[in-house]
């Protein structure tokens, strides 16, 4: 017969995991959503030196959650589309600046991958 923990033990395990997740949530992150243009300052370690690299682009998706939240940012660099997924509560993110608030009607903007030039523009919220 297999060992199955009682309901109380499982409830305690879930409470511990929730508590750990809440401790890791950062409070200094501004409110933003899909369509917004953000400037993400990322800490990069090369060799023994640490520097801050800026990645600026349009947020194409946000995954909600407590400790596991993440967001995807897309930019076009030298004619090539570059996407990067950032964990929301990562210590490697120095800061996030919201440059523009976009006016979009959907949660995931993956259709921007197939667009080029002026077709990728998003209206600004007023």
């Amino acid at each position: 017969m297999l060992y199955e923990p009682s309901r109380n033990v499982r409830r305690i395990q879930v409470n511990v995991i929730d508590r750990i997740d809440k401790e890791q949530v950062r409070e200094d992150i501004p409110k933003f959503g899909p369509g917004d243009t953000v400037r993400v300052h990322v800490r990069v370690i090369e060799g023994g030196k640490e520097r801050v690299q800026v990645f600026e682009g349009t947020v194409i998706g946000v995954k909600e959650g407590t400790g596991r939240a993440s967001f995807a940012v897309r930019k076009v660099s030298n004619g090539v589309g570059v996407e990067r997924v950032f964990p929301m509560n990562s210590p490697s993110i120095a800061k996030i600046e919201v440059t523009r608030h976009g006016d979009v009607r959907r949660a995931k903007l993956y259709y921007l991958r197939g667009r080029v030039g002026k077709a990728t523009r998003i209206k600004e919220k007023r």
Side-chain angles (χ1 to χ4, degrees), residues 17-86:
I17 292 170
D18 287 343
R19 197 175 324 123
I20 291 170
D21 277 350
K22 286 178 184 173
E23 288 173 4
Q24 294 177 350
V25 173
R26 291 176 56 170
E27 301 294 328
D28 61 336
I29 296 174
K31 297 274 186 200
F32 62 89
D36 295 352
T37 302
V38 294
R39 187 175 288 138
V40 183
H41 297 258
V42 185
R43 289 187 187 98
V44 178
I45 300 171
E46 293 174 337
K49 295 182 181 180
E50 180 181 308
R51 65 183 178 89
V52 175
Q53 184 177 25
V54 179
F55 190 91
E56 183 175 3
T58 305
V59 177
I60 62 169
V62 178
K63 279 193 178 170
E64 296 292 331
T66 51
R68 298 175 206 87
S70 63
F71 61 101
V73 180
R74 177 179 174 81
K75 74 174 184 176
V76 177
S77 179
N78 297 325
V80 178
V82 180
E83 289 183 14
R84 194 161 171 193
V85 179
F86 297 99

Side-chain angles (χ1 to χ4, degrees), residues 46 55 60 65-66 72 78-79 86 88-89 98 100 108-109 115:
E46 293 174 337
F55 190 91
I60 62 169
T66 51
N78 297 325
F86 297 99
M88 193 83 72
N89 301 305
V98 180
R100 296 177 63 214
K108 307 286 191 237
L109 304 178
R115 304 268 175 105

Side-chain angles (χ1 to χ4, degrees), residues 108-125:
K108 307 286 191 237
L109 304 178
Y110 298 142
Y111 68 89
L112 291 177
R113 294 172 177 163
R115 304 268 175 105
V116 180
K118 286 186 178 181
T120 61
R121 288 183 301 184
I122 294 175
K123 281 190 276 182
E124 189 170 1
K125 249 184 212 172

Side-chain angles (χ1 to χ4, degrees), residues 97-111:
E97 298 174 10
V98 180
T99 314
R100 296 177 63 214
H101 288 285
D103 191 16
V104 294
R105 292 180 160 194
R106 53 183 66 204
K108 307 286 191 237
L109 304 178
Y110 298 142
Y111 68 89

